[in-house]
Amino acid sequence: MMMRRDRLFLVATLTAIFSADLYFILLPKLESVRHGPGRWCSCRPDNFTIPRLGGLTTPQLSNRTSLQPVDNIMTEPVTEGSKLEKLFAHPLYNIQTPGLTPEERLLEAKQLMEYYKRKASRWERHMKLYSEAAAASNITVSKHKVTFDSDANWLKFHLGINRYALYSRDDPAIGKLLRDMQNMTVIGADYTQDEKALKGACDCTQVVKPSGHHLKLALKMQNYAKAMFKPMRQQRDEETPEDVFYFVDFQRHNAEVAAFHLDRILDFCRVPPVAGRLVNVTGEVLHVTYNDDLRAVFFVSPANNTCFFAKCLYVCKTEYAVCGSPHLLEGSMAAYLPSLSIAPRISIPNPWIRSYTFTRKEEWEVNPFFCDNVKQLYPYNSGNRLLNIIDMSIFDFLTSNMDRHHYEIFTKFGDEGFLLHLDNARGFGKHSKDEMSILAPLSQCCMIKRSTLLRLQLLARPEYRLSDVMRESLQRDLLQPILTEPHLLALDRRLQKVMRVVQRCVRRLGEDKVVTKDFARYTAKPQAATKTIKVR
């Protein structure tokens, strides 16, 4: 009986090995023979290069305009000066597309103004009632002048959201919005909506808590702008310990800031604007908090620092608190997206979701052919959804963020809308390790957008080195340095690994099956911010 089991095991093992050889080696070679003997000549290890824009014949995506060849796009002359400015002046970062129709814009100006005027009136009524109640109870309430500005930068940000991106990289309102979040007076602090949904309770039998380690707050500015504040939990030079699971890791405020800058450098423009800020925990949070539950979690530590902790009961203890020094606390300020009531979004499980337990593995972690199954499923069997997930996996690999369990899209844009790259605070935890499993969508599907690939190639060149342009971009933030030098250098190392994965795919399948055309003509000079919308 034992001998039979041994034979069955041997047969099963040999079958698996033969199947892998057939899929990865024999079939691609047979297909190369069918396409002609010259197909593999340019892909030998000694002379392999990813092709430039010419010569790629992958069928275009369903929602793209007609594609036109771009000649010599990778050979633009480079002069001395700001690498970041030269990068953004490169033709790859100035793509010409048709004007946007109303259906391709997320919101109409009239609709947005009416909605927020109602919100402003509601806030004024609420503050009047709260002030009267506070006076009767001898509670001190800080009062600030509040003005609704129809020309506010956060409103311009909301109006600029379209089918292809959250914002235009050349839009001056984005830089002004970053400065607003760094300096504008805070008039209100409250829990975020997801923490309110918990109502102070966590299911402690689950490994993953929907809140707790986040300690995030919603802060309202004096012009009714709203930002999500994530306080500092970890020093810049601290690495996440090897024994800590990704799903219980700290959320890092500097990772949120760095992720916004990286997303912009990759020209995705799918992360809402994020800026670093020093917040006075007492004056800018406690004294403008009108939620009794939130006020109740503030205390003064033995060192006389003002502290607060999370609402979730699992970590409802002073040892999990964050503290000012004695009042000032640095953190990230992320601009809120438009309200769900006027711009609905849906959250969709990532096909490459990780197992949020200590032992179990997901199918993609054990099945190298997992992407073949995904390609058969709606909405990944057509359009650009799968390619957008691959974009997101490259972005997450560069930041080393393993916590991408869901992604969100605006419902107005349907299946062809871009993916929002939200919640990046678990990135940049380890500079000494590259988690290759994050690249599973790329390595298993062997697909990548041509625009993404060419920008990665550009950022690998010494003239535009990714670590250099990131360092320059991050120096503009109030809390710089945002990343330590080892984290910046890790970006260059990881970028090379992304390129090697693409090279292996091209060797195996051929460039026309791996690299997908996805954008139209470029312009030599940037267009005006009001007219430039990149194709994603």
Side-chain angles (χ1 to χ4, degrees):
M1 190 69 179
M2 184 66 70
M3 289 292 291
R4 288 181 181 176
R5 280 200 293 266
D6 290 344
R7 289 175 181 171
L8 286 173
F9 177 77
L10 179 60
V11 170
T13 303
L14 291 174
T15 302
I17 293 173
F18 176 75
S19 299
D21 286 343
L22 179 65
Y23 184 84
F24 288 107
I25 299 175
L26 296 178
L27 288 179
K29 287 187 177 180
L30 288 173
E31 188 168 349
S32 70
V33 172
R34 182 170 64 88
H35 285 278
R39 177 181 173 86
W40 288 83
C41 294
S42 62
C43 296
R44 292 194 299 269
D46 57 343
N47 67 348
F48 175 78
T49 57
I50 297 294
R52 295 194 173 94
L53 286 180
L56 303 181
T57 58
T58 304
Q60 65 189 53
L61 300 180
S62 60
N63 69 330
R64 302 306 186 195
T65 58
S66 58
L67 304 174
Q68 303 201 15
V70 183
D71 298 325
N72 301 320
I73 199 169
M74 298 296 290
T75 57
E76 290 292 312
V78 177
T79 57
E80 296 298 323
S82 164
K83 285 189 176 183
L84 190 64
E85 290 179 3
K86 287 183 289 189
L87 178 74
F88 289 158
H90 193 280
L92 278 172
Y93 284 77
N94 297 280
I95 306 301
Q96 181 183 17
T97 60
L100 292 170
T101 64
E103 292 74 24
E104 292 177 310
R105 296 187 181 276
L106 181 64
L107 297 167
E108 296 179 5
K110 182 178 179 181
Q111 169 197 19
L112 186 67
M113 295 302 171
E114 289 178 351
Y115 175 80
Y116 280 111
K117 283 179 180 177
R118 291 196 299 270
K119 293 274 287 187
S121 298
R122 193 178 308 124
W123 169 265
E124 291 172 359
R125 291 195 302 271
H126 172 77
M127 287 305 302
K128 181 179 180 180
L129 294 173
Y130 188 88
S131 298
E132 293 172 355
S137 304
N138 293 322
I139 297 176
T140 302
V141 179
S142 296
K143 294 184 179 180
H144 299 285
K145 183 179 179 181
V146 187
T147 304
F148 179 80
D149 181 8
S150 60
D151 198 41
N153 294 308
W154 63 273
L155 285 170
K156 292 179 180 178
F157 162 54
H158 287 181
L159 286 173
I161 301 173
N162 59 75
R163 177 183 294 279
Y164 307 113
L166 280 176
Y167 60 90
S168 168
R169 185 172 33 78
D170 302 315
D171 188 350
I174 300 303
K176 294 176 182 178
L177 176 58
L178 294 174
R179 290 191 289 275
D180 288 347
M181 292 190 293
Q182 290 174 330
N183 303 303
M184 192 167 286
T185 301
V186 178
I187 64 166
D190 201 352
Y191 283 119
T192 56
Q193 287 301 117
D194 54 347
E195 292 217 12
K196 285 183 177 181
L198 292 172
K199 298 181 180 177
C202 288
D203 182 357
C204 299
T205 62
Q206 298 180 4
V207 174
V208 184
K209 275 71 64 179
S211 184
H213 288 81
H214 297 205
L215 281 175
K216 55 184 184 284
L217 298 174
L219 302 184
K220 190 183 293 289
M221 309 296 162
Q222 65 183 135
N223 66 351
Y224 293 101
K226 198 173 180 183
M228 180 180 292
F229 175 72
K230 290 187 179 181
M232 182 175 73
R233 298 298 308 273
Q234 191 171 322
Q235 296 296 328
R236 307 269 200 291
D237 57 353
E238 291 183 74
E239 275 204 284
T240 301
E242 288 291 332
D243 292 329
V244 172
F245 286 89
Y246 55 88
F247 46 76
V248 292
D249 190 12
F250 277 130
Q251 296 223 351
R252 286 166 285 275
H253 72 299
N254 60 312
E256 289 281 11
V257 178
F260 163 70
H261 286 261
L262 177 62
D263 177 81
R264 182 169 172 263
I265 285 170
L266 294 172
D267 208 38
F268 290 154
C269 300
R270 301 167 197 168
V271 174
V274 184
R277 174 166 175 163
L278 280 171
V279 170
N280 187 309
V281 179
T282 305
E284 294 183 304
V285 181
L286 177 59
H287 287 172
V288 293
T289 294
Y290 311 110
N291 183 317
D292 291 337
D293 290 338
L294 179 55
R295 293 180 69 93
V297 300
F298 280 82
F299 66 96
V300 178
S301 73
N304 207 34
N305 296 324
T306 302
C307 310
F308 67 100
F309 49 85
K311 184 178 182 182
C312 178
L313 296 179
Y314 185 81
V315 287
C316 189
K317 300 176 182 178
T318 57
E319 57 262 40
Y320 292 101
V322 293
C323 302
S325 181
H327 302 289
L328 291 180
L329 175 65
E330 68 174 67
S332 63
M333 300 280 283
Y336 261 70
L337 294 173
S339 170
L340 292 174
S341 59
I342 59 172
R345 306 190 304 271
I346 56 173
S347 179
I348 302 172
N350 186 350
W352 281 267
I353 188 172
R354 293 181 181 274
S355 173
Y356 283 70
T357 68
F358 295 119
T359 55
R360 186 171 65 86
K361 289 184 178 295
E362 293 292 334
E363 183 184 351
W364 67 267
E365 297 179 274
V366 296
N367 178 8
F369 312 117
F370 176 75
C371 188
D372 292 341
N373 298 331
V374 174
K375 289 178 180 178
Q376 306 303 316
L377 301 175
Y378 171 83
Y380 308 108
N381 55 359
S382 64
N384 63 357
R385 181 71 63 84
L386 186 55
L387 285 163
N388 282 339
I389 286 181
I390 291 169
D391 276 351
M392 185 170 64
S393 73
I394 293 171
F395 172 69
D396 287 339
F397 176 71
L398 293 173
T399 66
S400 194
N401 177 19
M402 300 173 66
D403 193 35
R404 189 71 66 186
H405 44 81
H406 285 71
Y407 62 85
E408 292 189 27
I409 60 172
F410 290 108
T411 57
K412 178 176 180 177
F413 302 138
D415 293 336
E416 296 306 321
F418 64 94
L419 311 187
L420 291 163
H421 295 173
L422 304 177
D423 199 5
N424 303 291
R426 286 201 167 114
F428 296 103
K430 296 178 183 178
H431 58 72
S432 58
K433 182 179 179 181
D434 303 331
E435 183 55 57
M436 296 302 296
S437 64
I438 301 175
L439 278 180
L442 173 63
S443 61
Q444 292 182 355
C445 298
C446 275
M447 297 167 58
I448 189 171
K449 293 179 184 178
R450 179 169 63 166
S451 61
T452 300
L453 176 58
L454 289 173
R455 288 177 186 127
L456 294 177
Q457 286 181 301
L458 198 65
L459 291 166
R461 291 171 57 180
E463 303 96 314
Y464 306 100
R465 186 177 289 112
L466 178 56
S467 60
D468 291 341
V469 292
M470 268 292 284
R471 187 184 298 106
E472 182 182 342
S473 185
L474 291 173
Q475 284 174 352
R476 303 177 182 185
D477 192 86
L478 184 68
L479 300 182
Q480 59 94 14
I482 298 298
L483 295 177
T484 61
E485 198 63 20
H487 278 297
L488 289 169
L489 296 179
L491 289 171
D492 295 330
R493 184 182 69 239
R494 290 167 186 160
L495 177 56
Q496 292 299 323
K497 292 186 176 182
V498 174
M499 301 302 292
R500 284 198 288 271
V501 171
V502 177
Q503 288 174 355
R504 286 195 294 269
C505 287
V506 171
R507 288 193 188 104
R508 183 164 66 87
L509 299 174
E511 63 193 45
D512 58 324
K513 288 196 181 305
V514 174
V515 186
T516 304
K517 293 181 180 180
D518 72 309
F519 61 80
R521 284 184 317 216
Y522 75 97
T523 55
K525 296 181 180 179
Q527 295 173 316
T530 56
K531 297 181 180 179
T532 302
I533 298 295
K534 273 71 64 188
V535 175
R536 304 290 164 203

